[in-house]
C-alpha cells in the first residue's frame, strides 16, 4: 500500500482481506506512517488472521493457562522453538527476560511462565539487573542497547538468547559497520548455548511467521470442511396448532449464527433483516476443490389431505436428517408467489412442524427476487412497445442516429448492435461502412403486433388484467393492441433464474429470450431490443440464493419459483450447487 493512504481507506482494505477466505494471514510492517494509528491497525485485523501475534486478544490469551491464542508472537515463538529443538528443559529453571516490549519481552515472559519456568521480567527501570542475570539459568535479552549485558554477567552453563540487532561503526568492515547484539559476544565462552548475531533469532522469526501462516491455513481449511449441526429444539403440542401458530411460537436462530455454523465468511453473505441472507456465488469459487454432498430429489407428488406435498416433505426430510440424525443437511426449495399465497392454495413454506421460518417473511416479499423479475419483465414489455412506436414514427436515418449516436465526429457500434449485425448477416465492421440497406436491416425489427409473445406480469392474482388493451392514449398514434398480464413467476425470466449458473450465463440466457416475431417470421430477442444489459443489472442481486432455516434450525436455500405447469418447477441450480458444496 502507498504510504499516503488514509486511515479510512486502509480500514476498507483491512476489512476486505479480513473477510477474504483466500487470505490466511495478515502482517503489519512496522513502523507505519505517522498519520496512521498502529494500535488501530493492529486491532482491526481479525485475531484468527493476526499471524504477527500482535492483537490484544492473542496477547491476552497468553496470560491465561486455560486458553490458547490463535497465534503466538513470532520472535518469542522462535526463541521457544530453539529451546525445544536443542532439548533444553525449561520447567523449574530461573529465567530472566531483559526488555518488556509488546512484541518480544512481555510475550516471551508469559510463554516461559507457561512452560513452568520461574520468570523475572527486567526493563530500563529495573534495579540490580546484573545480579538477576547472574543468577539466571536462561537469559533472553531484547532491550535494544548494544552489548548491554556483559559477558561476565552470564552464569557458566546458562542459556543465552540474544534478540538484539544493533549496527556499530567499524572502519575495518566494507559497509563501515558491524552487527552486535544486546549481549557481549565474549559471553560465548561462558554460556552453554548462545544465539549468534546475526543469524540466530532473526531467521527463526521469519520461520515462525511462515509457520503461523501455515497454521492459519490449516485451521481455516479444517473449519471450512466442518459444519456445526446445531438443532433448534421443537416443543410439540397436542392437538397440533395451526401452521401460523406453530411458526409464531418457534424463535429462529439469528441468520449470522446460521451462516457461521456453515462456515460462511462475512463477505459471503449479506443479511436481509435478522433471519434471512443472500449468499454470494463466490462460495463456489472458494469451495471449487471440495467434494459435493449427496443429492436427494423430492419429486412432484399430490398433496395428502393434511397438506403434505413437495415442500412439506422436503422440509421434514431435511429436519429429520439434521436435527434427529445429526447429519449436515440442506433443503433447497422455491420462493412462493404472492398470487397463490393470497389465493386458495396458500403459502409454500411447508406445514405443521415441517416449515421454513419465519413463514411470513418467506411467503411475502422475502429479499425482493420476484419484484426484480417483475421489474425486468415489464422493462422488456415497455421496450418492445416503445420500439414499435419509434419504428412507426421515424426514418431509418433517425433510428440509426438514436441507436448509434455520433460522438466527437464518429459513430461507434455498441455490442448489441454488433451482435445483431452478425445475426442478420451484415458483413460491415464499422458504422461508416454500412450501406443504406444495411442500416435499414439493422435498425428495423419490423415487429408483428399480432405475434408479440411477451406479456406484462404482476405478482398478484388479478383476473381482470388477464386480457387488456394497451396504446389507447392519443400520443400513441394508433398503436393500440391486445395483450395481458401473467403472474410474475410465470415470466421466462424466472425460468432463466432457476437454470442459470453464473452472472455471465444469466446475461447470455436473458439476451436469447424471444419476445416477438417480425412480419417475415424472424424471431426477435431481448438482445435485438437492446435491453440485455439492463435486465442483467436488475437481476444481479436476485442471482444469489436466500439463506433461511427450518423450524428445527437446519439450513434452507429459498430461490427461484418457476411454475411446474409451464416450466421446470424447481428451485435454482446455483442454490443446489452451493448447498452441495456447503
Amino acid at each position: 500500500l502507498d504510504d499516503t493512504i488514509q486511515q479510512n481507506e486502509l480500514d476498507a482494505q483491512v476489512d476486505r482481506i479480513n473477510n477474504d477466505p483466500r487470505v490466511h494471514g495478515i502482517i503489519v510492517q512496522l513502523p507505519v506512517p505517522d498519520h496512521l494509528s498502529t494500535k488501530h491497525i493492529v486491532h482491526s485485523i481479525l485475531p484468527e488472521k493476526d499471524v504477527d501475534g500482535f492483537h490484544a486478544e492473542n496477547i491476552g490469551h497468553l496470560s491465561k493457562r486455560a486458553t490458547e491464542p490463535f497465534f503466538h508472537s513470532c520472535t518469542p515463538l522462535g526463541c521457544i522453538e530453539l529451546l525445544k529443538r536443542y532439548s533444553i528443559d525449561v520447567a523449574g529453571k530461573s529465567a530472566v527476560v531483559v526488555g518488556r516490549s509488546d512484541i518480544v519481552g512481555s510475550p516471551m515472559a508469559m510463554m516461559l511462565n507457561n512452560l513452568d519456568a520461574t520468570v523475572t521480567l527486567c526493563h530500563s527501570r529495573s534495579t540490580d539487573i546484573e545480579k538477576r542475570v547472574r543468577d539466571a539459568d536462561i537469559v533472553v535479552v531484547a532491550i535494544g542497547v548494544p552489548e548491554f549485558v556483559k559477558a561476565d554477567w552470564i552464569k557458566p552453563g546458562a542459556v543465552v538468547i540474544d534478540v538484539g540487532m544493533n549496527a556499530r561503526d567499524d572502519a575495518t568492515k566494507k559497509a563501515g559497520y558491524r552487527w552486535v547484539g544486546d549481549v557481549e559476544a565474549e559471553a560465548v565462552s561462558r554460556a552453554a548455548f548462545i544465539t549468534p548475531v546475526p543469524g540466530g533469532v532473526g531467521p527463526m522469526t521469519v520461520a515462525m511467521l511462515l509457520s503461523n501462516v501455515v497454521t492459519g491455513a490449516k485451521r481455516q481449511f479444517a473449519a471450512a470442511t466442518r459444519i456445526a449441526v446445531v438443532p433448534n429444539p421443537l416443543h410439540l403440542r397436542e392437538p397440533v396448532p395451526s401452521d401460523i401458530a406453530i411458526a409464531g411460537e418457534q424463535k429462529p436462530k439469528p441468520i449470522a449464527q446460521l451462516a457461521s455454523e456453515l462456515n460462511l465468511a462475512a463477505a459471503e453473505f449479506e443479511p436481509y433483516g435478522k433471519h434471512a441472507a443472500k449468499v454470494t456465488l463466490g462460495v463456489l469459487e472458494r469451495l471449487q476443490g471440495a467434494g459435493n454432498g449427496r443429492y436427494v430429489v423430492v419429486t412432484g407428488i399430490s398433496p395428502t389431505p393434511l397438506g403434505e406435498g413437495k415442500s412439506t416433505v422436503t422440509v421434514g426430510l431435511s429436519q429429520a436428517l439434521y436435527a434427529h440424525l445429526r447429519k449436515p443437511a440442506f433443503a433447497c426449495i422455491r420462493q412462493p408467489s404472492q398470487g397463490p399465497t393470497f389465493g386458495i392454495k396458500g403459502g409454500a413454506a411447508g406445514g405443521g412442524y415441517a416449515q421454513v421460518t419465519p413463514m411470513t417473511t418467506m411467503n411475502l416479499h422475502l429479499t425482493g427476487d420476484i419484484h426484480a423479475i417483475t421489474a425486468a419483465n415489464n422493462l422488456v414489455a415497455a421496450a418492445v412497445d416503445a420500439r414499435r412506436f419509434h419504428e412507426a414514427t421515424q426514418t431509418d436515418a433517425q433510428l440509426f442516429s438514436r441507436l448509434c449516436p455520433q460522438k466527437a465526429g464518429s459513430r461507434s457500434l455498441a455490442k448489441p448492435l454488433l451482435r445483431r449485425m452478425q445475426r442478420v448477416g451484415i458483413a460491415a465492421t464499422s458504422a461508416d461502412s454500412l450501406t443504406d440497406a444495411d442500416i435499414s436491416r439493422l435498425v428495423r425489427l419490423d415487429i408483428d403486433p399480432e405475434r408479440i409473445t411477451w406479456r406484462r406480469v404482476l405478482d398478484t392474482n388479478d383476473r381482470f388484467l388477464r386480457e387488456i388493451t394497451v396504446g389507447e392514449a392519443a400520443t400513441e398514434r394508433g398503436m393500440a393492441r391486445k395483450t395481458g398480464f401473467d403472474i410474475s413467476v410465470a415470466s421466462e425470466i424466472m425460468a432463466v433464474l432457476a437454470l442459470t449458473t453464473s452472472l455471465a450465463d444469466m446475461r447470455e440466457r436473458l439476451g436469447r429470450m424471444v419476445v416477438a416475431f417480425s412480419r417475415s417470421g424472424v424471431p426477435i430477442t431481448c438482445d435485438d431490443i437492446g435491453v440485455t444489459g439492463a435486465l442483467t443489472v436488475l437481476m444481479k442481486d436476485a442471482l444469489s440464493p436466500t439463506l433461511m432455516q427450518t423450524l428445527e434450525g437446519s439450513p434452507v436455500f429459498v430461490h427461484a419459483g418457476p411454475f411446474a405447469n409451464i416450466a421446470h418447477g424447481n428451485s435454482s441450480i446455483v442454490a443446489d450447487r452451493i448447498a452441495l458444496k456447503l
Side-chain angles (χ1 to χ4, degrees), residues 238 289 436:
E238 290 287 348
D436 289 344

Side-chain angles (χ1 to χ4, degrees), residues 232-252 306 312 315 319 349-360 550-552:
N232 195 6
L234 279 174
H235 304 286
L236 305 181
R237 288 170 51 195
E238 290 287 348
V240 178
S242 66
D243 291 354
I244 196 164
I246 291 171
E249 291 173 359
Q250 187 75 338
K251 184 179 180 181
L306 297 177
T312 305
V315 174
Q319 289 183 174
Y353 286 106
Q355 292 186 52
V356 178
T357 185
M359 181 177 76
T360 52
T550 66
L551 289 174
E552 293 193 85

Side-chain angles (χ1 to χ4, degrees), residues 57-72:
E57 183 175 327
N58 284 324
I59 294 293
H61 280 298
L62 278 177
S63 63
K64 298 174 66 177
R65 294 179 63 85
T67 61
E68 276 286 315
F70 286 104
F71 299 103
H72 295 82

Side-chain angles (χ1 to χ4, degrees), residues 29 33 131-132 164 181 198 339 375 400 430 564:
Q29 184 64 56
K131 180 179 183 304
R132 299 173 192 274
F400 186 59
S430 67

Side-chain angles (χ1 to χ4, degrees), residues 151-450:
D152 62 357
W153 294 7
I154 303 301
K155 183 170 75 174
V159 175
V160 178
I161 298 178
D162 189 352
V163 182
M165 190 81 164
N166 311 283
R168 172 161 286 177
D169 293 340
D170 188 340
T172 66
K173 299 293 184 181
K174 184 178 180 180
Y177 62 87
R178 61 187 173 90
W179 294 108
V180 299
D182 291 353
V183 180
E184 282 186 339
E186 291 76 8
V188 68
S189 62
R190 300 173 64 85
F193 295 91
I194 187 169
T195 56
V197 178
V201 174
M204 288 303 298
T205 299
V206 176
M208 292 303 101
L209 175 62
L210 295 175
S211 176
N212 277 350
V213 174
V214 171
T215 298
K218 288 181 177 178
R219 186 185 292 129
Q220 256 181 249
F221 178 78
T225 55
R226 183 180 63 250
I227 289 181
V229 176
V230 185
N232 195 6
L234 279 174
H235 304 286
L236 305 181
R237 288 170 51 195
E238 290 287 348
V240 178
S242 66
D243 291 354
I244 196 164
I246 291 171
E249 291 173 359
Q250 187 75 338
K251 184 179 180 181
K253 294 183 283 191
I255 197 65
Q257 176 187 332
L258 181 61
S260 176
E261 293 166 7
L262 295 170
N263 300 307
L264 290 171
E268 293 176 334
F269 71 98
E270 182 181 358
Y272 278 64
K274 296 179 180 179
H275 302 118
K278 283 284 191 179
V279 176
T280 70
L281 270 62
V283 176
L284 290 173
E285 181 181 351
R286 172 170 65 87
L287 298 178
Q288 60 183 338
N292 286 332
R294 297 181 181 180
Y295 195 53
V296 179
V297 176
V298 178
T299 190
I301 58 177
S302 299
T304 68
L306 297 177
E308 295 166 319
K310 297 187 298 298
S311 298
T312 305
V313 171
T314 301
V315 174
L317 179 59
S318 176
Q319 289 183 174
L321 289 167
Y322 181 91
H324 300 274
L325 296 182
R326 300 300 175 100
K327 302 289 185 182
F330 229 116
C332 293
I333 61 176
R334 293 179 296 170
Q335 180 180 349
S337 164
Q338 285 182 178
T341 296
F342 288 114
I344 295 174
K345 178 179 178 293
Y353 286 106
Q355 292 186 52
V356 178
T357 185
M359 181 177 76
T360 52
T361 299
M362 177 183 171
N363 281 328
L364 299 178
H365 305 284
L366 197 54
T367 51
D369 292 357
I370 293 179
H371 299 321
I373 288 166
T374 303
N377 184 100
N378 292 342
L379 174 65
V380 176
V384 169
D385 284 325
R387 186 59 172 263
R388 285 182 58 235
F389 176 80
H390 290 306
E391 288 190 20
T393 57
Q394 296 177 30
T395 65
D396 291 351
Q398 288 173 323
L399 286 171
F400 186 59
S401 292
R402 283 161 175 76
L403 292 171
C404 187
Q406 193 173 57
K407 295 180 181 179
S410 64
R411 297 184 191 275
S412 177
L413 291 165
K415 289 182 179 178
L417 288 177
L418 290 170
R419 289 194 291 267
R420 175 159 172 77
M421 287 168 58
Q422 187 176 16
R423 282 194 297 274
V424 299
I426 297 174
T429 57
S430 67
D432 295 333
S433 60
L434 291 169
T435 66
D436 289 344
D438 289 338
I439 289 174
S440 183
R441 292 170 62 204
L442 177 62
V443 301
R444 292 208 173 271
L445 303 180
D446 193 25
I447 299 170
D448 184 347
E450 299 299 322

